[in-house]
């Protein structure tokens, strides 16, 4: 009995000692100007024990001992270690950084952010707070427009925008979601309508121009955009947000996170719904956003996270019109959807015009499972296993005398992959990385019936062999129906029916040396892509193409030298042997399995850049110079006419070489308390070099005539402005009121389209935006932690400008047929006029 009593007393002593050893420390995290940083992370060094600051930058954290060190971090600011030996840390000020310094909890070894390597790159980071303030009803590219060498083209309908980086379109810019490549594997394209929810869940977005820091064998030409989403929150909380905007746009969002429990579990979720009429006529749309994350930390060495997100949506598309049509009808004119113009027989339904010209309907859920394993003090392993099921179509009418059907051009896919990276600190000065990137993709492409109008079937026996009657419909205008009711029957398809299988194997490695003021790195990667195309349509047996295998590799290296604490110089050099896209390999991607002859060879990309960085307490500056030579590329273009008409032609031009060079200057300042003023200027010189071999195809994908030589040498590369500049300012007028504005300037923008003629130079233009934020101070201890009101006005002065022109018709000798020096017969798209959005956000 006495032994039992002594044992209980001993246990009680240790329990009591451990309880009393717990110390609660408090403090406030501010930026350099004294503004609070809500959501900053405060973590006990060497553990996963942490807390986040509240709306006023305050925190409290239970730690294991009365003295030690905490690590304080916030996105866009330098991480700071603070020692404590009392319960109050007081004020902790963080210095703003141009780089992303946030501690990424999940996938840290896979997500290639700039601070993951000491040798600098040309990079800009957009914080979560800025994304939330300025997102409104825009897609991600609009938020990135104040980044050097970035231009956003809105393109008319919801989610139809494009982004250019250093003159390269987004098919040649790598987009990563938590380390997972998300560009289309067939053609590299990005469809922002599939990613409308990314603005709601993004913690930060980092634009790496040029060579970047990514170790993957992705061979991006323009650069890399890293989108880092929410995963595990250290504390419980959430928000509800309501957004309103022009043209009857409304969006509702709710987010909640449990924080990390004592057993290491965390759950977070976001749900949203949006709808609106669209700025351009007849471009209504609506959709949802869902995001679910489950995290588990069984111990300090392992962290697991499962994430599921998607943005099902539908939206009507906007076509190009001639400049004259816009001048006659206004910039909201939609050439595809105007009654009596190109769609005389519109289908009517509950939403009014159901298929005016064309409607995009898509659902692309994405899931990934991440595992971070700290093996020991010197080594770690980070892996992401992911999958995506895309289901949807572009639907348009096929009506005569009020009856007919809505035809859908379906583009479905099944996509799975694994990215894994092992890191080992070989010595105090040398770090080694090695990893793998494996992807498998199955694309399903066909035409079918979305719905019947006044009929119940169509018979295509006169066109195809056998009794060919289509009686089933799939999807309608519902993206959820697209996902759960896909067309899996080959005899219920029309027009074309083929699938593509792409398998990708990549291996990458990096070695970085750092000692004193010097750092240097070397990266290498190899990859192999296998391509097979299978044609199903109207055959007794499906036929497979010849299997194509292409080997590629990347080599990158660089070095930097820190002259003083404030001055640093660096240089990077890289060479890519990049495999052609799947769509570049076949003679006719829709109706033929024949490979292009002569075969398409790898593209050759050589890039080098030099940079200088300056940083002080109130001013930081980045100066970059770059030169990119892109050889043996295949260029796809069209004549700008309406698709599915006899006038429409598309062009495939092989053997094209482009040279892009330029300089970029970015300056960030804090001249006064509460005032931030930033500016940038980028000057590019982007031209074609040599000649190309061009083939012409009609709207059915059939080749017209024979290949011809086109003279490209010295022609300007169109699509994006080669000279851009901008200034932005943010001023905190009071603790609850702040105003921000930005001005963007665009010059040396050229047309795209046929390469048989020189491109046209478009008029210079500039745009100003204004924003106001109101964040009332709330009484401490209430359940509601913060309330925020936000108003944005874009294109404040209602500038009338041409965003893009698809055509090469030179100015007419008759002045009445020109506008600002351009022939008004060219097909084009004007940019949006003045728009606005407003939101209220309640945090709890």
């Amino acid at each position: 009995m006495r032994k039992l009593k002594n044992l209980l007393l001993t246990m009680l002593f240790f329990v009591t000692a451990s309880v009393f050893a717990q110390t609660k420390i408090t403090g406030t995290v501010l930026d350099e100007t004294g503004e609070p940083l809500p959501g900053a992370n405060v973590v006990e060094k060497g553990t996963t024990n942490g807390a986040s600051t509240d709306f006023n930058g305050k925190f409290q954290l239970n730690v294991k001992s009365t003295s030690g060190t905490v690590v304080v971090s916030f996105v866009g600011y330098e991480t700071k270690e603070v020692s404590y030996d009392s319960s109050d840390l007081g004020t902790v000020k963080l210095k703003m950084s141009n780089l992303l310094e946030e501690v990424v909890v999940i996938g840290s070894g896979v997500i290639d952010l700039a601070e993951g390597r000491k040798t600098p790159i040309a990079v800009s980071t957009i914080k979560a707070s800025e994304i939330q303030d300025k997102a409104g009803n825009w897609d991600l590219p609009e938020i990135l427009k104040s980044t050097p060498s970035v231009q956003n083209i809105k393109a008319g309908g919801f989610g139809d925008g494009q982004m250019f980086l250093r003159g390269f379109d987004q098919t040649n810019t790598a987009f990563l979601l938590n380390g997972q490549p998300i560009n289309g594997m067939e053609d590299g394209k990005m469809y922002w309508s599939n990613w409308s929810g990314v603005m709601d869940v993004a913690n930060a977005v980092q634009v790496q121009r040029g060579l970047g820091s990514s170790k993957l064998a992705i061979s991006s030409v323009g650069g890399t955009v890293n989108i880092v989403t929410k995963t595990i929150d250290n504390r419980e909380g959430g928000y509800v947000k309501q957004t309103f905007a022009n043209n009857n746009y409304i969006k509702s969002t709710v987010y909640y996170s449990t924080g990390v429990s004592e057993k290491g579990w965390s759950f977070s979720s976001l749900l949203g719904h949006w709808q609106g009429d669209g700025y351009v006529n007849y471009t209504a749309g609506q959709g949802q956003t869902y995001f679910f994350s489950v995290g588990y930390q069984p111990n300090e060495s392992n962290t697991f996270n499962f994430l599921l997100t998607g943005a099902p949506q539908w939206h009507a598309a906007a076509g190009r019109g001639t400049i004259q049509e816009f001048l006659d009808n206004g910039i909201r004119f939609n050439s595809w959807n105007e009654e009596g113009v190109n769609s005389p027989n519109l289908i009517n339904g509950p939403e009014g015009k159901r298929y005016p010209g064309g409607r995009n309907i898509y659902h692309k859920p994405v899931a990934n499972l991440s595992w971070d394993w700290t093996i020991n003090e010197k080594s770690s392993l980070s892996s992401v296993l992911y999958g995506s099921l895309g289901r949807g179509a572009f639907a348009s009418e096929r009506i005569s005398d009020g009856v007919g059907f809505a035809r859908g051009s379906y583009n479905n896919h099944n996509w799975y992959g694994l990215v894994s990276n092992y890191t080992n600190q070989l010595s105090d000065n040398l770090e080694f990385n090695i990893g793998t990137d494996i992807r498998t993709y199955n694309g399903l492409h066909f035409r079918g019936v979305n719905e019947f109008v006044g009929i119940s079937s169509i018979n295509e026996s006169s066109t195809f062999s056998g009794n060919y009657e289509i009686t089933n419909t799939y999807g309608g205008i519902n993206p959820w129906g697209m996902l759960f009711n896909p067309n899996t029957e080959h005899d219920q398809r029309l027009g074309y029916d083929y699938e593509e299988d792409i398998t990708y194997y990549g291996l990458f490695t990096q070695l970085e040396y750092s000692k004193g003021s010097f750092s240097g790195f070397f990266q290498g990667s190899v990859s192999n892509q296998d391509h097979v195309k299978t044609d199903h349509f109207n055959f007794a047996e499906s036929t497979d193409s010849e299997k194509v295998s292409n080997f590629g590799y990347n080599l990158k290296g660089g070095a930097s030298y820190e002259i003083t604490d404030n001055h640093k110089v660096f240089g990077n050099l890289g060479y890519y042997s990049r495999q052609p896209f799947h769509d570049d390999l076949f003679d006719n991607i829709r109706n033929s399995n024949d490979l292009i002859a002569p075969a398409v060879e790898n593209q050759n990309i050589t890039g080098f850049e030099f940079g200088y960085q300056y940083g002080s307490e109130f001013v930081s500056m980045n100066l970059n110079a770059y030169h990119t030579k892109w050889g043996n590329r295949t260029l796809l273009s069209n004549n700008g006419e309406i698709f599915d008409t006899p006038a429409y032609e598309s062009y495939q031009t092989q053997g094209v070489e482009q040279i892009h060079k330029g300089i970029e200057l970015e300056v960030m300042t804090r001249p006064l308390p509460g005032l931030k003023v930033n500016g940038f200027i980028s000057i590019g010189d982007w031209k074609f070099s040599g000649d190309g071999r061009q083939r012409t195809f009609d709207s059915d994908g059939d080749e017209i005539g024979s290949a011809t030589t086109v003279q490209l040498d010295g022609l300007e590369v169109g699509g994006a402005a080669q000279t851009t500049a901008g200034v932005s300012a943010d001023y905190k007028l009071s603790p609850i009121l702040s105003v921000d504005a930005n001005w963007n300037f665009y010059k040396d923008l050229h047309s795209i389209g046929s390469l048989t003629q020189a491109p046209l130079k478009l008029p210079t233009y500039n745009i100003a935006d204004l924003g106001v934020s109101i964040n009332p101070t709330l009484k401490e201890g209430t359940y509601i932690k913060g309330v925020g009101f936000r108003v944005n006005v874009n294109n404040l002065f209602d500038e009338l400008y041409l965003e893009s022109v698809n055509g090469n018709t030179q100015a007419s000798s008759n002045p009445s047929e020109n506008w600002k020096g351009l022939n008004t017969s060219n097909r084009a798209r004007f940019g949006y006029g003045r728009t606005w959005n407003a939101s209220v956000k309640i945090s709890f």
Side-chain angles (χ1 to χ4, degrees), residues 463-519:
T463 305
F464 307 108
S465 60
N467 179 23
Y468 206 91
E469 186 176 22
I470 296 178
T471 58
N472 297 339
T473 61
Y474 301 90
I477 60 171
N478 186 350
W480 291 94
M482 290 285 184
L483 182 66
F484 295 109
N485 182 32
N487 184 343
T488 59
E489 303 170 271
H490 292 297
D491 62 356
Q492 292 294 301
R493 299 176 179 179
L494 68 153
Y496 55 84
D497 180 10
Y498 67 94
E499 62 182 284
E500 302 160 318
D501 290 290
I502 307 171
T503 308
Y504 178 99
Y505 310 91
L507 181 69
F508 55 85
T509 185
Q510 175 179 286
L511 193 65
E512 182 172 27
Y513 175 82
S514 177
K515 185 174 183 180
S517 299
F518 174 81
S519 69

Side-chain angles (χ1 to χ4, degrees), residues 760-800:
L760 307 175
K761 188 173 183 179
L762 277 57
T764 298
Y765 66 94
N766 62 89
I767 299 174
D769 303 328
L770 178 67
V772 178
S773 295
I774 302 175
N775 298 286
T777 301
L778 301 180
K779 184 178 179 181
E780 292 188 28
T782 60
Y783 184 73
I784 297 177
K785 304 300 182 183
V787 176
F789 300 91
R790 175 72 183 182
V791 176
N792 294 301
V793 181
N794 294 80
N795 194 359
L796 179 65
F797 301 112
D798 205 19
E799 173 91 353
L800 180 65

Side-chain angles (χ1 to χ4, degrees), residues 298-570:
N299 50 52
E300 294 183 1
S301 299
N302 292 276
T303 302
F304 299 90
N305 192 82
F306 173 77
L307 183 152
L308 173 67
T309 186
Q313 59 79 41
W314 61 258
H315 71 274
R320 293 178 183 270
T322 66
I323 296 175
Q324 190 62 54
E325 285 178 315
F326 283 106
L327 295 175
D328 293 340
N329 298 282
I331 61 174
R332 297 174 187 263
F333 173 74
N334 189 345
S335 64
W336 279 6
N337 300 342
E338 298 290 341
E339 291 186 76
V341 180
N342 293 307
S343 288
N345 298 303
L346 300 174
I347 298 176
N348 293 318
E351 290 81 18
K353 301 177 186 344
R354 294 172 70 88
Y355 300 96
R359 172 172 287 192
N360 178 288
I361 310 154
Y362 216 83
H363 190 175
K364 181 185 173 68
V366 176
N368 66 52
L369 178 63
S370 304
W371 174 33
D372 283 355
W373 177 26
T374 303
I375 302 171
N376 52 47
E377 293 182 355
K378 293 186 176 182
S379 62
S380 62
L381 178 69
S382 186
S383 303
V384 177
L385 178 67
Y386 62 88
S388 171
L389 301 178
R391 300 290 185 267
F394 183 85
S396 56
E397 60 186 23
R398 293 296 180 270
I399 304 296
S400 178
D401 296 326
V403 298
F405 65 99
R407 187 191 71 184
S409 298
Y410 291 79
N411 296 288
N412 299 344
H413 71 245
N414 306 299
W415 186 355
Y416 308 98
L418 170 68
V419 181
S420 186
N421 180 44
Y422 170 76
T423 303
N424 192 298
Q425 191 71 38
L426 299 177
S427 69
D428 291 341
N429 308 114
L430 194 61
E431 182 181 273
F432 171 69
N433 282 268
I434 189 168
T436 186
D437 175 14
I438 301 171
R439 304 172 227 164
T440 176
Y441 176 92
N442 170 237
L444 307 159
H445 307 280
F446 55 89
R447 280 178 172 164
V449 176
N450 283 71
E451 64 179 335
F452 292 113
V453 178
I455 58 176
S456 59
S457 66
I458 57 173
N459 194 310
E460 295 290 302
S461 299
S462 61
T463 305
F464 307 108
S465 60
N467 179 23
Y468 206 91
E469 186 176 22
I470 296 178
T471 58
N472 297 339
T473 61
Y474 301 90
I477 60 171
N478 186 350
W480 291 94
M482 290 285 184
L483 182 66
F484 295 109
N485 182 32
N487 184 343
T488 59
E489 303 170 271
H490 292 297
D491 62 356
Q492 292 294 301
R493 299 176 179 179
L494 68 153
Y496 55 84
D497 180 10
Y498 67 94
E499 62 182 284
E500 302 160 318
D501 290 290
I502 307 171
T503 308
Y504 178 99
Y505 310 91
L507 181 69
F508 55 85
T509 185
Q510 175 179 286
L511 193 65
E512 182 172 27
Y513 175 82
S514 177
K515 185 174 183 180
S517 299
F518 174 81
S519 69
F521 80 98
F522 170 79
Q523 286 183 9
S525 66
V526 294
S527 61
N528 189 78
Q529 290 185 171
D530 295 331
H531 303 263
V532 174
K533 180 173 178 288
T534 303
D535 201 340
H536 298 291
F537 192 71
N538 208 226
F539 297 120
E541 294 183 2
S542 299
T543 59
D544 289 343
S545 72
E546 178 185 342
K547 181 178 178 180
V548 181
S549 294
N550 290 312
F551 178 81
Y553 62 91
N554 298 353
L555 298 172
K556 291 194 288 188
S560 71
Y561 183 74
E562 190 172 325
I563 303 171
T564 68
D565 289 341
N566 296 337
H567 303 271
K568 181 183 287 188
V569 293
F570 68 92

